[in-house]
Amino acid sequence: EIVTDGVLSTISIKRSERADSALFTCVATNAFGSDDTSINLIIQEVPETPYELKVLEKAGRNIKLSWQAPYNGNSNLTRYLIEFKPTKGTWQNDIDRVLVSGDESIAGVFSLRPATSYHFRIVAQNEIGSSG
């Protein structure tokens, strides 16, 4: 497209995906020479789900958990949510959470009820959103 102060070139990606992250270079050439500029395209998305959730220690009212950090979606992990509920409860009505910094991969959950079984899960968050 020709505009008043030169020529405008546009690249449009209608549906982006992780593999579209790349360094794009535009080269303009005319009778007087050539010039180029590069743009680094980084596709950001919600993080993947943390994996290898393990129990490191457990006591009557406490548990210590560890996990592996997931792919962060090209956006730093801001925090993890350790979600837990009594085994007989539901994720909709009986959930409780512990917030953990995004650079940690070990955390404790305290004030659990004795003689109660629990289900645990972990969610990763970045600036884009939460893991599935």
Side-chain angles (χ1 to χ4, degrees), residues 29-48:
T29 304
N30 64 19
F32 300 102
S34 68
D35 195 13
D36 64 74
T37 190
S38 296
I39 297 171
N40 191 18
L41 175 66
I42 300 171
I43 303 299
Q44 293 184 309
E45 57 190 335
V46 299
E48 291 183 351

Side-chain angles (χ1 to χ4, degrees), residues 9-73:
S9 297
T10 305
I11 183 171
S12 178
I13 301 173
K14 299 293 183 194
R15 291 179 184 246
S16 63
E17 56 188 50
R18 187 181 303 175
D20 294 326
S21 292
L23 181 65
F24 289 87
T25 301
C26 178
V27 180
T29 304
N30 64 19
F32 300 102
S34 68
D35 195 13
D36 64 74
T37 190
S38 296
I39 297 171
N40 191 18
L41 175 66
I42 300 171
I43 303 299
Q44 293 184 309
E45 57 190 335
V46 299
E48 291 183 351
T49 302
Y51 58 99
E52 292 186 22
L53 180 61
K54 295 179 182 173
V55 175
L56 298 180
E57 299 172 14
K58 58 184 175 178
R61 295 178 177 265
N62 307 320
I63 190 168
K64 187 174 186 180
L65 303 170
S66 72
W67 59 90
Q68 294 296 314
Y71 169 68
N72 68 6

Side-chain angles (χ1 to χ4, degrees), residues 1-8:
E1 175 182 349
I2 298 175
V3 293
T4 57
D5 57 346
V7 177
L8 175 67

